[in-house]
Amino acid sequence: MTEGITEAFTRAFGRAPDGVWRAPGRVNLIGEHTDYNDGFVLPFAPSLGVSVAAARRDDGVIEVRSRQAATAVAAPVDGPPVVSEGWPAERGWAAYPVGVARVLREHGTGGASLLFDSDLPQGAGLSSSAALECATALALCELHGVEIDRPALARLTQRAENEQVGMPCGLMDQSASLLCTAGHALMLDCRSGLSAQVPFDPAAAGLTLLVVDTRASHALTSGEYGRRRAECEEAAALLGVDALRDVKDLAGALARLRDPVLRRRVQHVVTENHRVEASVGLLRAGALPEFGGMLNASHLSLRDQFEVSWPEADVTVDTALRAGARGGRMVGGGFGGSVIVLTAASRAGQVREAIIAAYAGRGWTPPEFLEAVPSDGARCVSRARP
């Protein structure tokens, strides 16, 4: 991809780029909707991601183009929050890199010409937005000689998505893209920002982790994600805690809440945090087959307590289990996107065929099966010679 994007940049901007940077998306093993509740998550970085060829410019302008979008956008780095400018849909993707540039400007970065390329499917729930943000952030910092440690950079890119794009996401996606390492998942405390690398090598245990893009695309800025976050904040306020991560007595908390919706939200978040901690123990002990049970419990909770699953996800998980998989669950914010399935490597083909047949029998668009090898986080791929 590097050679192609370098040539494409030169054609688009009439000069060679100063370098190429790449940031992966994320696959969250477990810990869904816990990040903005100050809880725990356990993502890893797949090999799929977003690359950006970039060149510094000193006119205070950020110009962005993408090989996946026809629209080019040029905007001042010192402009207002992007969400307030009311960009039309065809310019919407550019809000992420422009938003990052406007936040990082406070730390000494400036303008740049950027050309993006991606092999990460949009709408699959694998955080193409965070990959776009983190690739941009690394490029801008290196182009302008600004040093920001990666945990801090994760919070800045999260802030860009919150304030500039208007998406109230938590810290997980940006942290996974910037901090993950090959062969590991990232245990992240979303309150403190502290993290630890947890060995995750399914192949060594004779297992395969399938990522199934259900092809039911989602748009988290449509309102449901924000509504779930608001419900969690309301429940925390009623319970007198800073965040649902602080609920220690689940039964007592549920008894104090009259609203059945809020009770369901609290039950999911509290039990999901417990599942993350238990899963870390299983992975560190090398008990990967037993991890499948955690996936199943997480999916049921997301479906029934947090109510963010969708028909294709439920069918995918149910079909995979009937075909002999160890476990499966929806990943991402919900309402569309992907499912992960843990299965013995010897059964992977059988599980795939069963899922494809289940979709065909319902007249659904065939799913896609994506590569899910735990890989390194964001990095510089190449720099121009001086």
Side-chain angles (χ1 to χ4, degrees):
M1 181 181 290
T2 302
E3 183 177 3
I5 195 173
T6 298
E7 294 174 345
F9 182 97
T10 302
R11 289 194 300 271
F13 293 103
R15 57 157 293 185
D18 295 326
V20 176
W21 290 261
R22 182 169 173 82
R26 67 93 186 91
V27 176
N28 191 23
L29 286 177
I30 199 161
E32 218 66 79
H33 289 275
T34 51
D35 57 346
Y36 57 78
N37 287 292
D38 283 357
F40 306 107
V41 293
L42 190 64
F44 71 87
S47 60
L48 303 173
V50 172
S51 295
V52 59
R56 173 173 171 156
R57 52 194 296 170
D58 298 315
D59 59 358
V61 171
I62 178 101
E63 183 175 359
V64 296
R65 300 170 184 243
S66 170
R67 300 179 82 176
Q68 283 73 46
T71 304
V73 174
V77 172
D78 61 354
V82 177
V83 68
S84 68
E85 296 186 272
W87 288 9
E90 63 269 17
R91 289 163 57 99
W93 71 272
Y96 296 93
V98 172
V100 168
R102 288 180 174 175
V103 167
L104 290 183
R105 176 181 175 274
E106 302 169 11
H107 297 265
T109 68
S113 298
L114 307 173
L115 175 68
F116 295 94
D117 198 2
S118 175
D119 55 13
L120 188 66
Q122 295 183 14
L126 303 180
S127 202
S128 57
S129 58
L132 190 59
E133 293 159 358
C134 294
T136 300
L138 275 192
L140 291 176
C141 285
E142 290 199 33
L143 290 174
H144 290 276
V146 173
E147 294 187 7
I148 301 174
D149 67 61
R150 292 205 172 198
L153 195 60
R155 290 196 180 275
L156 288 170
T157 49
Q158 177 205 12
R159 179 184 150 201
E161 187 158 345
N162 292 168
E163 298 177 1
Q164 294 283 333
V165 183
M167 171 60 192
C169 66
L171 184 61
M172 173 178 64
D173 295 350
Q174 295 83 2
S175 295
S177 187
L178 287 166
L179 302 176
C180 280
T181 61
H184 295 81
L186 185 77
M187 168 58 162
L188 175 68
D189 181 334
C190 293
R191 169 171 286 168
S192 68
L194 296 175
S195 63
Q197 303 292 333
V198 180
F200 181 62
D201 186 0
L207 299 170
T208 295
L209 187 76
L210 301 175
V211 176
V212 186
D213 180 357
T214 68
R215 308 292 295 280
S217 184
H218 68 167
L220 294 182
T221 49
S222 63
E224 287 296 333
Y225 184 98
R227 185 173 296 115
R228 293 303 185 281
R229 181 164 185 164
E231 290 165 347
C232 290
E233 291 171 351
E234 180 183 358
L238 290 172
L239 294 171
V241 294
D242 291 336
L244 293 185
R245 177 243 182 88
D246 299 313
V247 174
K248 306 302 180 185
D249 176 8
L250 177 58
L254 297 180
R256 292 170 57 192
L257 294 172
R258 295 182 179 181
D259 187 335
V261 172
L262 297 186
R263 287 200 296 268
R264 291 196 296 272
R265 306 299 184 252
V266 171
Q267 183 166 346
H268 167 73
V269 172
V270 173
T271 58
E272 186 80 345
N273 276 322
H274 293 327
R275 283 187 286 271
V276 173
E277 294 179 299
S279 295
V280 169
L282 289 173
L283 296 185
R284 285 178 171 158
L288 265 68
E290 288 75 14
F291 175 57
M294 293 293 173
L295 297 178
N296 295 335
S298 177
H299 184 75
L300 290 176
S301 183
L302 287 160
R303 185 191 71 186
D304 300 336
Q305 304 301 328
F306 221 68
E307 300 173 284
V308 293
S309 190
W310 64 101
E312 290 88 343
D314 297 335
V315 168
T316 299
V317 171
D318 182 64
T319 301
L321 294 178
R322 291 177 183 273
R326 288 279 186 173
R329 74 172 192 91
M330 58 149 282
V331 296
F335 315 107
S338 295
V339 167
I340 56 173
V341 173
L342 184 69
T343 180
S346 60
R347 286 184 175 268
Q350 177 180 330
V351 170
R352 286 174 183 250
E353 291 175 4
I355 294 171
I356 291 170
Y359 277 53
R362 290 166 173 79
W364 291 344
T365 301
E368 291 188 355
F369 296 86
L370 307 176
E371 186 178 1
V373 177
S375 303
D376 285 326
R379 60 202 181 277
C380 180
V381 176
S382 67
R383 289 297 302 266
R385 294 179 180 178

